[in-house]
Coordinates of all heavy atoms in Angstrom, one line a residue:
E1 N -16.1 3.3 17.9 CA -15.0 2.9 17.0 C -14.1 1.8 17.8 O -13.7 0.9 17.1 CB -14.1 4.1 16.6 CG -13.0 3.7 15.7 CD -12.2 4.8 15.2 OE1 -12.7 6.0 15.2 OE2 -11.1 4.6 14.8
K2 N -13.9 2.0 19.1 CA -13.1 1.0 19.8 C -13.7 -0.3 19.8 O -13.1 -1.4 19.7 CB -12.8 1.5 21.2 CG -11.8 2.6 21.2 CD -11.4 3.0 22.7 CE -10.4 4.1 22.6 NZ -9.8 4.4 23.9
K3 N -15.1 -0.3 19.9 CA -15.8 -1.6 19.9 C -15.7 -2.3 18.6 O -15.5 -3.5 18.5 CB -17.3 -1.4 20.2 CG -18.1 -2.7 20.3 CD -19.5 -2.4 20.7 CE -20.3 -3.7 20.8 NZ -21.7 -3.5 21.1
D4 N -15.7 -1.5 17.5 CA -15.6 -2.0 16.1 C -14.2 -2.6 16.0 O -14.0 -3.6 15.4 CB -15.8 -0.9 15.1 CG -17.3 -0.6 15.0 OD1 -18.1 -1.3 15.5 OD2 -17.6 0.5 14.5
D5 N -13.2 -1.9 16.5 CA -11.8 -2.3 16.4 C -11.6 -3.6 17.1 O -10.9 -4.6 16.7 CB -10.8 -1.3 16.9 CG -10.5 -0.2 15.9 OD1 -11.0 -0.3 14.8 OD2 -9.9 0.8 16.3
A6 N -12.2 -3.7 18.3 CA -12.1 -5.0 19.1 C -12.7 -6.1 18.4 O -12.2 -7.3 18.4 CB -12.7 -4.8 20.5
S7 N -13.9 -5.9 17.8 CA -14.6 -7.0 17.0 C -13.7 -7.4 15.8 O -13.6 -8.6 15.6 CB -15.9 -6.5 16.5 OG -16.8 -6.2 17.6
L8 N -13.2 -6.4 15.1 CA -12.4 -6.7 13.9 C -11.1 -7.5 14.4 O -10.7 -8.4 13.7 CB -12.0 -5.4 13.2 CG -11.1 -5.6 12.0 CD1 -11.7 -6.5 11.0 CD2 -10.8 -4.3 11.4
E9 N -10.5 -7.1 15.5 CA -9.3 -7.7 16.0 C -9.6 -9.2 16.3 O -8.8 -10.1 15.9 CB -8.8 -7.0 17.2 CG -7.4 -7.4 17.6 CD -6.8 -6.4 18.6 OE1 -7.4 -5.4 18.9 OE2 -5.8 -6.8 19.2
R10 N -10.7 -9.5 16.9 CA -11.1 -10.9 17.2 C -11.2 -11.7 15.9 O -10.7 -12.8 15.8 CB -12.4 -11.0 18.0 CG -12.2 -10.8 19.5 CD -13.4 -11.2 20.3 NE -14.6 -10.5 19.8 CZ -15.0 -9.3 20.2 NH1 -14.3 -8.6 21.0 NH2 -16.1 -8.7 19.7
V11 N -11.9 -11.1 14.9 CA -12.1 -11.8 13.6 C -10.7 -12.0 12.9 O -10.5 -13.1 12.4 CB -13.0 -11.0 12.7 CG1 -13.0 -11.5 11.3 CG2 -14.4 -10.9 13.3
L12 N -9.8 -11.1 13.0 CA -8.5 -11.2 12.3 C -7.7 -12.2 13.0 O -6.9 -12.9 12.4 CB -7.8 -9.9 12.3 CG -8.4 -8.8 11.3 CD1 -7.7 -7.5 11.5 CD2 -8.3 -9.3 9.9
R13 N -7.8 -12.3 14.4 CA -6.9 -13.2 15.1 C -7.3 -14.7 14.9 O -6.4 -15.6 15.0 CB -7.0 -12.9 16.6 CG -6.2 -11.8 17.0 CD -6.2 -11.6 18.6 NE -5.4 -10.5 18.9 CZ -4.1 -10.4 18.9 NH1 -3.4 -11.4 18.6 NH2 -3.5 -9.2 19.3
E14 N -8.6 -15.0 14.6 CA -9.0 -16.4 14.4 C -8.2 -17.1 13.3 O -7.6 -18.1 13.6 CB -10.5 -16.5 14.1 CG -11.3 -16.2 15.4 CD -12.8 -16.2 15.1 OE1 -13.2 -16.7 14.0 OE2 -13.5 -15.6 15.9
P15 N -8.1 -16.6 12.1 CA -7.3 -17.3 11.1 C -5.8 -17.2 11.4 O -5.1 -18.1 11.1 CB -7.7 -16.6 9.8 CG -8.2 -15.2 10.2 CD -8.8 -15.4 11.5
L16 N -5.4 -16.1 12.0 CA -4.0 -16.0 12.4 C -3.5 -17.1 13.3 O -2.4 -17.6 13.2 CB -3.7 -14.6 12.9 CG -2.3 -14.2 13.1 CD1 -1.6 -14.1 11.7 CD2 -2.2 -12.8 13.7
A17 N -4.4 -17.4 14.3 CA -4.0 -18.5 15.2 C -3.9 -19.8 14.5 O -3.1 -20.6 14.9 CB -5.1 -18.5 16.3
L18 N -4.7 -20.0 13.4 CA -4.7 -21.2 12.7 C -3.6 -21.3 11.6 O -3.0 -22.3 11.3 CB -6.0 -21.4 12.0 CG -7.2 -21.5 12.9 CD1 -8.5 -21.6 12.1 CD2 -7.1 -22.8 13.8
E19 N -3.3 -20.1 11.1 CA -2.3 -20.1 10.0 C -1.4 -18.9 10.2 O -1.8 -17.7 9.9 CB -3.1 -20.0 8.7 CG -2.2 -19.9 7.5 CD -1.3 -21.1 7.3 OE1 -1.7 -22.2 7.3 OE2 0.0 -20.9 7.3
S20 N -0.1 -19.1 10.6 CA 0.8 -18.1 10.9 C 1.2 -17.4 9.6 O 1.8 -16.3 9.6 CB 2.0 -18.6 11.6 OG 2.7 -19.5 10.8
R21 N 0.9 -17.9 8.4 CA 1.3 -17.3 7.2 C 0.2 -16.3 6.7 O 0.3 -15.8 5.6 CB 1.6 -18.3 6.1 CG 2.7 -19.2 6.5 CD 3.1 -20.2 5.3 NE 4.1 -21.1 5.7 CZ 5.4 -20.8 5.7 NH1 5.8 -19.7 5.2 NH2 6.3 -21.7 6.1
D22 N -0.7 -16.0 7.5 CA -1.8 -15.0 7.1 C -1.2 -13.6 7.3 O -1.6 -12.9 8.2 CB -3.0 -15.3 7.9 CG -4.2 -14.5 7.4 OD1 -4.0 -13.6 6.5 OD2 -5.3 -14.7 7.9
V23 N -0.4 -13.2 6.4 CA 0.3 -11.9 6.5 C -0.7 -10.7 6.5 O -0.5 -9.8 7.3 CB 1.4 -11.8 5.4 CG1 1.9 -10.4 5.3 CG2 2.5 -12.9 5.6
P24 N -1.7 -10.7 5.6 CA -2.6 -9.5 5.6 C -3.2 -9.3 7.0 O -3.4 -8.2 7.5 CB -3.6 -9.8 4.5 CG -2.9 -10.7 3.6 CD -2.0 -11.6 4.5
S25 N -3.7 -10.4 7.6 CA -4.3 -10.3 9.0 C -3.3 -9.8 10.0 O -3.5 -8.9 10.8 CB -4.9 -11.6 9.5 OG -6.0 -11.9 8.7
A26 N -2.1 -10.3 9.9 CA -1.0 -9.9 10.8 C -0.7 -8.5 10.7 O -0.5 -7.7 11.7 CB 0.2 -10.8 10.7
M27 N -0.6 -8.0 9.4 CA -0.3 -6.6 9.2 C -1.4 -5.7 9.7 O -1.2 -4.6 10.2 CB 0.0 -6.3 7.7 CG 1.3 -7.0 7.2 SD 2.8 -6.4 8.1 CE 2.9 -4.7 7.5
R28 N -2.7 -6.1 9.5 CA -3.8 -5.3 10.0 C -3.8 -5.3 11.5 O -4.0 -4.2 12.1 CB -5.1 -5.9 9.5 CG -6.4 -5.2 10.0 CD -6.5 -3.8 9.3 NE -7.7 -3.2 9.8 CZ -7.8 -2.1 10.5 NH1 -6.7 -1.4 10.8 NH2 -8.9 -1.6 10.9
L29 N -3.5 -6.4 12.1 CA -3.4 -6.4 13.6 C -2.3 -5.5 14.1 O -2.3 -4.9 15.1 CB -3.2 -7.8 14.1 CG -4.4 -8.7 14.1 CD1 -4.1 -10.2 14.3 CD2 -5.4 -8.3 15.1
L30 N -1.2 -5.5 13.3 CA 0.0 -4.7 13.7 C -0.4 -3.2 13.6 O -0.1 -2.4 14.5 CB 1.1 -4.9 12.6 CG 2.5 -4.4 13.0 CD1 3.5 -5.2 12.3 CD2 2.6 -2.9 12.6
E31 N -1.2 -2.8 12.6 CA -1.7 -1.4 12.5 C -2.6 -1.1 13.7 O -2.5 0.0 14.3 CB -2.4 -1.2 11.2 CG -1.5 -1.1 10.0 CD -0.5 0.0 10.1 OE1 -0.8 1.1 10.5 OE2 0.7 -0.3 9.7
M32 N -3.4 -2.0 14.1 CA -4.3 -1.8 15.3 C -3.5 -1.7 16.6 O -3.8 -0.9 17.4 CB -5.3 -2.9 15.3 CG -6.2 -3.0 14.2 SD -7.3 -4.4 14.1 CE -8.6 -3.9 15.2
A33 N -2.4 -2.5 16.7 CA -1.5 -2.4 17.9 C -0.9 -1.1 17.9 O -0.7 -0.4 19.0 CB -0.5 -3.6 17.8
K34 N -0.4 -0.6 16.8 CA 0.2 0.8 16.7 C -0.8 1.8 17.1 O -0.4 2.8 17.9 CB 0.7 1.0 15.3 CG 2.0 0.3 15.0 CD 2.4 0.5 13.5 CE 2.4 1.9 13.1 NZ 2.8 2.1 11.7
K35 N -2.0 1.7 16.7 CA -3.0 2.7 17.0 C -3.2 2.7 18.5 O -3.5 3.8 19.1 CB -4.3 2.3 16.3 CG -5.4 3.3 16.4 CD -6.6 2.9 15.5 CE -7.7 3.8 15.6 NZ -8.8 3.4 14.7
R36 N -3.1 1.6 19.2 CA -3.3 1.5 20.7 C -2.0 1.8 21.4 O -1.9 1.8 22.6 CB -3.7 0.1 21.1 CG -5.0 -0.4 20.7 CD -5.4 -1.7 21.4 NE -4.3 -2.7 21.4 CZ -4.1 -3.6 20.4 NH1 -4.9 -3.6 19.4 NH2 -3.2 -4.5 20.5
E37 N -0.9 2.0 20.6 CA 0.4 2.3 21.1 C 0.9 1.1 21.9 O 1.6 1.2 22.9 CB 0.5 3.6 21.9 CG 0.2 4.8 21.0 CD 0.4 6.1 21.8 OE1 0.8 6.1 22.9 OE2 0.1 7.1 21.1
D38 N 0.5 -0.1 21.5 CA 1.0 -1.4 22.1 C 2.2 -1.9 21.3 O 2.1 -2.7 20.4 CB -0.2 -2.4 22.0 CG 0.2 -3.7 22.7 OD1 1.4 -3.9 23.1 OD2 -0.7 -4.5 22.9
W39 N 3.3 -1.3 21.6 CA 4.6 -1.5 20.9 C 5.1 -2.9 21.0 O 5.7 -3.5 20.1 CB 5.6 -0.5 21.2 CG 5.0 0.9 20.9 CD1 4.7 1.9 21.8 CD2 4.6 1.4 19.7 NE1 4.1 2.9 21.2 CE2 4.1 2.7 19.9 CE3 4.7 1.0 18.3 CZ2 3.6 3.5 18.9 CZ3 4.2 1.7 17.3 CH2 3.6 3.0 17.6
D40 N 4.9 -3.6 22.1 CA 5.3 -5.0 22.3 C 4.5 -5.9 21.3 O 5.1 -6.7 20.6 CB 5.1 -5.5 23.7 CG 6.0 -4.8 24.7 OD1 7.0 -4.3 24.3 OD2 5.6 -4.7 25.9
E41 N 3.2 -5.7 21.2 CA 2.4 -6.5 20.3 C 2.8 -6.1 18.8 O 2.9 -7.0 18.0 CB 0.9 -6.2 20.5 CG 0.0 -7.0 19.6 CD 0.0 -8.5 19.8 OE1 0.8 -9.0 20.7 OE2 -0.7 -9.2 19.1
A42 N 3.0 -4.9 18.5 CA 3.4 -4.5 17.2 C 4.7 -5.1 16.8 O 4.8 -5.7 15.7 CB 3.5 -3.0 17.1
A43 N 5.7 -5.2 17.7 CA 6.9 -5.8 17.4 C 6.8 -7.3 17.2 O 7.3 -7.9 16.3 CB 7.9 -5.6 18.6
R44 N 5.9 -8.0 18.1 CA 5.7 -9.4 18.0 C 5.1 -9.7 16.6 O 5.5 -10.7 15.9 CB 4.7 -9.9 19.1 CG 4.5 -11.4 19.1 CD 3.5 -11.8 20.1 NE 2.1 -11.4 19.6 CZ 1.5 -12.2 18.7 NH1 2.0 -13.2 18.1 NH2 0.3 -11.8 18.3
L45 N 4.1 -8.9 16.2 CA 3.5 -9.2 14.9 C 4.4 -8.9 13.7 O 4.4 -9.7 12.7 CB 2.2 -8.3 14.8 CG 1.1 -8.8 15.7 CD1 0.0 -7.7 15.9 CD2 0.4 -10.1 15.2
A46 N 5.2 -7.9 13.8 CA 6.2 -7.6 12.8 C 7.2 -8.8 12.7 O 7.5 -9.2 11.5 CB 7.0 -6.3 13.0
D47 N 7.6 -9.3 13.8 CA 8.5 -10.5 13.8 C 7.8 -11.7 13.1 O 8.5 -12.5 12.4 CB 8.9 -10.9 15.2 CG 10.1 -10.0 15.7 OD1 10.9 -9.5 14.9 OD2 10.2 -9.8 16.9
L48 N 6.5 -11.9 13.4 CA 5.8 -13.0 12.8 C 5.8 -12.9 11.3 O 6.0 -13.8 10.6 CB 4.3 -13.0 13.3 CG 3.4 -14.0 12.8 CD1 3.8 -15.4 13.3 CD2 2.0 -13.7 13.2
V49 N 5.5 -11.7 10.8 CA 5.5 -11.5 9.3 C 6.9 -11.7 8.8 O 7.1 -12.3 7.7 CB 4.9 -10.1 9.0 CG1 5.0 -9.8 7.5 CG2 3.5 -10.0 9.4
L50 N 7.9 -11.2 9.4 CA 9.3 -11.3 9.0 C 9.7 -12.8 8.9 O 10.5 -13.2 8.1 CB 10.3 -10.5 9.8 CG 10.3 -9.0 9.6 CD1 11.1 -8.3 10.6 CD2 10.8 -8.7 8.2
A51 N 9.2 -13.6 9.8 CA 9.5 -15.0 9.8 C 8.9 -15.7 8.6 O 9.5 -16.7 8.0 CB 8.9 -15.7 11.1
V52 N 7.8 -15.2 8.1 CA 7.2 -15.7 6.8 C 7.9 -15.2 5.6 O 8.2 -16.0 4.7 CB 5.7 -15.3 6.8 CG1 5.1 -15.7 5.5 CG2 5.0 -16.0 7.9
D53 N 8.2 -13.9 5.6 CA 8.9 -13.3 4.4 C 10.0 -12.3 4.9 O 9.7 -11.1 5.1 CB 7.9 -12.6 3.6 CG 8.5 -12.0 2.3 OD1 9.8 -12.2 2.1 OD2 7.8 -11.4 1.5
P54 N 11.2 -12.8 5.2 CA 12.2 -12.0 5.7 C 12.7 -10.9 4.8 O 13.5 -10.0 5.2 CB 13.4 -12.9 6.1 CG 13.1 -14.1 5.2 CD 11.6 -14.2 5.0
F55 N 12.3 -10.9 3.5 CA 12.8 -9.9 2.6 C 11.8 -8.8 2.3 O 12.0 -7.9 1.5 CB 13.2 -10.6 1.2 CG 14.2 -11.6 1.4 CD1 13.9 -13.0 1.4 CD2 15.5 -11.3 1.7 CE1 14.9 -13.9 1.6 CE2 16.5 -12.2 1.9 CZ 16.2 -13.5 1.9
D56 N 10.6 -8.9 3.0 CA 9.6 -7.8 2.8 C 10.0 -6.6 3.7 O 10.2 -6.8 4.9 CB 8.3 -8.4 3.3 CG 7.1 -7.4 3.1 OD1 7.4 -6.2 2.8 OD2 6.0 -7.8 3.2
P57 N 10.3 -5.5 3.1 CA 10.7 -4.3 3.9 C 9.7 -3.7 4.8 O 10.0 -3.1 5.8 CB 11.2 -3.3 2.8 CG 10.4 -3.7 1.6 CD 10.2 -5.2 1.7
A58 N 8.4 -3.9 4.5 CA 7.3 -3.2 5.3 C 7.3 -3.7 6.7 O 7.3 -2.8 7.6 CB 6.0 -3.5 4.6
P59 N 7.3 -5.0 7.0 CA 7.3 -5.4 8.4 C 8.6 -5.0 9.1 O 8.6 -4.7 10.3 CB 7.1 -6.9 8.4 CG 7.5 -7.3 7.1 CD 7.2 -6.2 6.2
R60 N 9.7 -4.9 8.4 CA 11.0 -4.5 9.0 C 10.9 -3.0 9.4 O 11.4 -2.7 10.5 CB 12.2 -4.7 8.1 CG 13.5 -4.5 8.8 CD 14.7 -5.1 8.0 NE 14.5 -6.4 7.5 CZ 14.8 -7.5 8.2 NH1 15.3 -7.4 9.4 NH2 14.7 -8.7 7.7
L61 N 10.3 -2.2 8.6 CA 10.1 -0.8 9.0 C 9.2 -0.7 10.1 O 9.4 0.2 11.0 CB 9.6 0.0 7.8 CG 10.6 0.3 6.7 CD1 10.0 0.9 5.4 CD2 11.7 1.2 7.2
E62 N 8.2 -1.5 10.2 CA 7.2 -1.5 11.3 C 8.0 -1.9 12.6 O 7.8 -1.3 13.7 CB 6.1 -2.4 11.1 CG 5.2 -2.0 9.9 CD 4.4 -0.8 10.1 OE1 4.4 -0.1 11.2 OE2 3.6 -0.4 9.2
L63 N 8.9 -2.9 12.5 CA 9.6 -3.3 13.7 C 10.6 -2.2 14.1 O 10.8 -2.0 15.3 CB 10.4 -4.6 13.3 CG 11.1 -5.3 14.5 CD1 10.2 -5.6 15.7 CD2 11.8 -6.6 14.0
V64 N 11.2 -1.5 13.2 CA 12.0 -0.3 13.5 C 11.3 0.7 14.3 O 11.7 1.1 15.4 CB 12.6 0.3 12.2 CG1 13.2 1.7 12.5 CG2 13.6 -0.6 11.5
E65 N 10.1 1.0 13.9 CA 9.3 2.0 14.6 C 8.9 1.5 16.0 O 9.0 2.2 17.0 CB 8.0 2.3 13.9 CG 7.1 3.3 14.6 CD 5.8 3.6 13.9 OE1 5.4 2.9 12.9 OE2 5.1 4.5 14.4
A66 N 8.5 0.2 16.1 CA 8.2 -0.4 17.4 C 9.4 -0.3 18.3 O 9.3 0.0 19.5 CB 7.7 -1.8 17.3
R67 N 10.6 -0.7 17.8 CA 11.8 -0.7 18.7 C 12.1 0.7 19.1 O 12.5 0.9 20.3 CB 13.0 -1.3 18.0 CG 12.8 -2.8 17.7 CD 12.7 -3.6 19.0 NE 12.6 -5.0 18.7 CZ 11.8 -5.9 19.3 NH1 10.9 -5.4 20.2 NH2 11.8 -7.1 19.0
E68 N 11.9 1.7 18.3 CA 12.2 3.1 18.6 C 11.2 3.5 19.7 O 11.7 4.1 20.7 CB 12.0 4.0 17.4 CG 13.2 3.9 16.4 CD 13.0 4.8 15.2 OE1 11.8 5.1 14.9 OE2 14.0 5.1 14.5
K69 N 10.0 3.2 19.6 CA 9.0 3.5 20.6 C 9.2 2.8 21.9 O 8.8 3.4 23.0 CB 7.6 3.2 20.1 CG 7.2 4.0 18.8 CD 7.0 5.5 19.1 CE 6.4 6.1 17.9 NZ 6.1 7.5 18.1
Q70 N 9.8 1.7 21.9 CA 10.2 0.9 23.1 C 11.5 1.5 23.7 O 11.9 1.0 24.8 CB 10.4 -0.5 22.8 CG 9.1 -1.3 22.4 CD 9.4 -2.7 21.9 OE1 10.3 -2.9 21.1 NE2 8.6 -3.6 22.4
G71 N 12.1 2.4 23.1 CA 13.4 2.9 23.6 C 14.6 2.1 23.3 O 15.6 2.2 23.9
R72 N 14.4 1.2 22.3 CA 15.5 0.2 21.9 C 16.1 0.7 20.6 O 16.0 0.1 19.6 CB 14.9 -1.2 21.8 CG 14.3 -1.7 23.1 CD 13.4 -2.8 23.0 NE 14.1 -4.1 22.7 CZ 13.5 -5.2 22.6 NH1 12.2 -5.4 23.0 NH2 14.1 -6.3 22.3
D73 N 16.7 1.9 20.7 CA 17.3 2.6 19.6 C 18.4 1.8 18.9 O 18.5 1.8 17.6 CB 17.8 4.0 19.9 CG 16.6 4.9 20.4 OD1 15.5 4.7 20.0 OD2 16.9 5.8 21.2
G74 N 19.2 1.1 19.6 CA 20.3 0.3 19.0 C 19.7 -0.8 18.1 O 20.2 -1.0 17.0
E75 N 18.7 -1.5 18.6 CA 18.0 -2.5 17.7 C 17.4 -1.9 16.5 O 17.5 -2.4 15.4 CB 17.0 -3.3 18.5 CG 17.6 -4.2 19.6 CD 16.5 -4.9 20.3 OE1 15.6 -5.5 19.7 OE2 16.6 -4.9 21.6
A76 N 16.8 -0.7 16.7 CA 16.2 0.0 15.6 C 17.2 0.3 14.5 O 17.0 0.1 13.3 CB 15.4 1.2 16.0
A77 N 18.4 0.8 15.0 CA 19.4 1.2 14.0 C 20.0 0.0 13.3 O 20.2 0.0 12.1 CB 20.6 1.9 14.8
A78 N 20.1 -1.1 14.0 CA 20.6 -2.4 13.4 C 19.6 -2.9 12.3 O 20.0 -3.3 11.2 CB 20.8 -3.4 14.4
L79 N 18.3 -2.8 12.6 CA 17.3 -3.2 11.6 C 17.4 -2.3 10.4 O 17.2 -2.8 9.3 CB 15.9 -3.1 12.3 CG 15.6 -4.2 13.3 CD1 14.4 -3.9 14.1 CD2 15.4 -5.6 12.6
L80 N 17.6 -1.0 10.6 CA 17.7 -0.1 9.5 C 18.9 -0.4 8.6 O 18.9 -0.3 7.4 CB 17.7 1.4 9.9 CG 16.4 2.0 10.3 CD1 16.5 3.4 10.8 CD2 15.4 2.0 9.1
A81 N 20.0 -0.7 9.3 CA 21.2 -1.1 8.6 C 21.0 -2.3 7.7 O 21.5 -2.4 6.6 CB 22.4 -1.3 9.6
Q82 N 20.3 -3.3 8.3 CA 20.0 -4.5 7.6 C 19.1 -4.2 6.3 O 19.4 -4.7 5.2 CB 19.2 -5.5 8.4 CG 20.0 -6.2 9.5 CD 19.2 -7.0 10.5 OE1 17.9 -7.1 10.3 NE2 19.8 -7.6 11.5
L83 N 18.2 -3.3 6.5 CA 17.3 -2.9 5.4 C 18.1 -2.2 4.3 O 17.8 -2.5 3.1 CB 16.2 -2.0 6.0 CG 15.1 -1.7 5.0 CD1 14.3 -2.9 4.6 CD2 14.1 -0.7 5.6
A84 N 19.0 -1.4 4.7 CA 19.8 -0.7 3.7 C 21.0 -1.6 3.2 O 21.7 -1.1 2.3 CB 20.4 0.5 4.4
G85 N 21.1 -2.8 3.7 CA 22.2 -3.7 3.2 C 23.5 -3.3 3.8 O 24.6 -3.6 3.2
L86 N 23.6 -2.6 4.9 CA 24.8 -2.1 5.5 C 25.4 -3.0 6.6 O 26.4 -2.7 7.1 CB 24.6 -0.7 6.0 CG 24.2 0.3 5.0 CD1 23.9 1.7 5.7 CD2 25.2 0.5 3.9
D87 N 24.6 -4.1 6.9 CA 25.1 -4.9 8.1 C 26.2 -5.8 7.7 O 26.5 -6.2 6.7 CB 23.9 -5.7 8.6 CG 23.3 -6.7 7.6 OD1 23.4 -6.4 6.4 OD2 22.7 -7.7 8.1

């Protein structure tokens, strides 16, 4: 399964490198990063998707999770407040 994930990850990264607006590939890569517990990469990909569509709640929630896993609870709380419209 890891070999299959690595192959899929390479395939997904190709269009992403060419087109940063490829949100579905970025979200799939984000899920793969979470599965590996690579929270830095998950946060980077969530930021990439948010740059394309800052009003999409899904990548913001993914970024909250990544920040929590990184021990950056203050940032996670601020992101949740933004999501709730409390900022």
Side-chain angles (χ1 to χ4, degrees):
E1 183 178 336
K2 287 186 180 188
K3 184 178 180 183
D4 290 341
D5 281 351
S7 296
L8 179 58
E9 195 167 348
R10 278 194 304 278
V11 168
L12 290 172
R13 281 188 184 283
E14 287 176 17
L16 192 61
L18 299 174
E19 181 57 58
S20 64
R21 295 185 187 276
D22 189 354
V23 171
S25 291
M27 291 301 288
R28 179 68 177 117
L29 285 167
L30 192 153
E31 288 299 320
M32 295 170 85
K34 286 174 48 178
K35 189 175 177 179
R36 292 190 315 271
E37 298 184 5
D38 183 349
W39 302 112
D40 292 337
E41 181 68 359
R44 186 188 73 76
L45 289 161
D47 279 333
L48 178 71
V49 174
L50 284 170
V52 173
D53 185 0
F55 301 107
D56 185 348
R60 190 167 309 275
L61 287 171
E62 297 291 359
L63 187 55
V64 167
E65 180 182 7
R67 293 299 185 225
E68 286 176 339
K69 298 290 186 177
Q70 292 172 314
R72 296 163 71 174
D73 295 334
E75 288 180 49
L79 288 163
L80 281 175
Q82 289 173 0
L83 190 61
L86 300 175
D87 61 335

